[in-house]
Amino acid sequence: MKDCVRYGLTFHTREMSFQKAMDQVLLRQLFSVAGETLLVYNYLLTFRMEMDYVWSARWTVVKALFLFNRYMNLIGQTMFTLQQLDVWHASSFKFCGHFLWFMGIFGFISGESIRILVLLRAWAVWGCKRPVTVALIGIYLFYFVANFGVVLYDVTQTRLSQQAFVYLEETGICIARGGPDGVRFLLHAGHRS
């Protein structure tokens, strides 16, 4: 676990100093701004094609999932970036608790919508055949149950109290500590990929 901390891949351990935490905050802010910049740039580059091909097409499950994923990710990433930059200042521990729960649920739903789109595409490429459908649904359900179990474990092990947000008063940024760091790292890596 110490290697993960050294490379900035996990957030807080109990012995982390304030300076080390601020270094990680800066790293998170830089990556958040870089991600937001690339996301907005992608939207600007592809918006015309989206208008021509997506908005003019009839409504289907795939179109709804695509638009949900496209615009909800922009909203979620913007909310996260504004909070990480302290533009959207966290004024209370309660705010941080609600914000982290919302972002966790949002990340989970967003990730699942992407996976469902990929499965629908694979299903179409493989000819929409019944054996392929059964196999894809089985594989996805196995993955979903395992992933949901990890999320549920992390949520039940994390105690979001005033002690969880150790640097809130100094930074105004919701930086949580607590819960199993290894599980949190896996969730963070899995939902941001």
Side-chain angles (χ1 to χ4, degrees):
M1 188 50 81
K2 296 241 184 254
D3 288 336
C4 292
V5 173
R6 184 174 33 168
Y7 295 114
L9 297 176
T10 189
F11 294 110
H12 288 275
T13 59
R14 302 212 188 286
E15 66 273 358
M16 182 177 287
S17 69
F18 180 74
Q19 183 56 48
K20 202 170 201 178
M22 293 306 98
D23 291 345
Q24 285 196 359
V25 166
L26 178 61
L27 186 64
R28 286 172 59 164
Q29 289 172 334
L30 292 171
F31 276 104
S32 187
V33 169
E36 181 78 14
T37 302
L38 289 172
L39 190 60
V40 170
Y41 181 66
N42 178 24
Y43 277 79
L44 295 174
L45 285 178
T46 60
F47 186 72
R48 188 71 178 129
M49 288 186 292
E50 177 186 330
M51 293 296 293
D52 292 343
Y53 299 112
V54 177
W55 285 102
S56 62
R58 67 183 177 86
W59 280 94
T60 64
V61 171
V62 173
K63 179 179 176 176
L65 278 171
F66 172 81
L67 292 174
F68 170 82
N69 188 274
R70 183 163 167 91
Y71 289 98
M72 291 312 293
N73 278 331
L74 180 62
I75 291 167
Q77 181 64 30
T78 301
M79 289 172 58
F80 181 77
T81 301
L82 291 174
Q83 211 299 298
Q84 291 299 296
L85 295 175
D86 196 24
V87 173
W88 187 9
H89 185 78
S91 56
S92 70
F93 296 106
K94 186 176 182 179
F95 170 86
C96 283
H98 291 270
F99 183 77
L100 290 179
W101 277 90
F102 172 78
M103 291 307 293
I105 292 167
F106 179 85
F108 185 77
I109 292 170
S110 176
E112 294 316 304
S113 70
I114 292 169
R115 289 172 190 89
I116 291 170
L117 275 173
V118 169
L119 287 173
L120 286 170
R121 187 173 183 183
W123 178 64
V125 166
W126 289 332
C128 306
K129 296 176 182 163
R130 182 168 169 71
V132 171
T133 305
V134 170
L136 288 175
I137 289 173
I139 291 167
Y140 176 73
L141 287 176
F142 176 77
Y143 162 80
F144 180 83
V145 168
N147 194 32
F148 188 74
V150 171
V151 170
L152 189 61
Y153 176 77
D154 188 53
V155 166
T156 59
Q157 296 301 308
T158 302
R159 305 287 181 252
L160 295 180
S161 64
Q162 289 186 359
Q163 291 79 26
F165 304 106
V166 290
Y167 303 118
L168 176 61
E169 292 174 0
E170 294 91 341
T171 65
I173 300 171
C174 298
I175 307 165
R177 79 167 189 184
D181 290 328
V183 173
R184 178 159 294 116
F185 167 71
L186 290 174
L187 289 174
H188 222 313
H191 285 299
R192 303 296 182 235
S193 60

